[in-house]
Amino acid sequence: VPTLPKWREADNLAKLVEFLVVPRPGEAVENNLPAQFRLKILRGFPLALSSSRIRERVKAALPVENLVPPAVAEAIRNNRLYV
């Protein structure tokens, strides 16, 4: 969450979406972001999984089907994302 303002085109994203945040186990989420970043913090079943790990697995030609929904895995594969 603290790095959202550093994302590519962060200002445009902030205008378009409300960010959904699922805290990782043992991690607290504080919204110290500029006002244009709208967050909704979801409680439930947090995963100890980062998007960086998924991208690393794709780059290494390792499967991600067990880490993301089938439609996401298909989109990554069909659009050759992260390779």
Side-chain angles (χ1 to χ4, degrees), residues 13-80:
L13 284 171
K15 292 174 189 171
L16 296 171
V17 303
E18 178 178 19
F19 291 90
L20 301 178
V21 178
V22 179
R24 292 191 180 118
E27 193 173 281
V29 174
E30 295 180 24
N31 185 359
N32 297 330
L33 297 174
Q36 75 260 29
F37 288 91
R38 294 169 290 130
L39 295 184
K40 181 175 280 186
I41 300 172
L42 304 178
R43 305 289 178 203
F45 300 97
L47 300 174
L49 175 67
S50 69
S51 58
S52 298
R53 180 171 172 217
I54 292 169
R55 289 190 301 272
E56 288 169 2
R57 289 184 63 82
V58 171
K59 286 179 186 177
L62 297 171
V64 295
E65 283 76 10
N66 60 334
L67 303 175
V68 298
V72 173
E74 183 178 349
I76 290 170
R77 193 173 39 257
N78 290 346
N79 295 293
R80 299 189 41 78

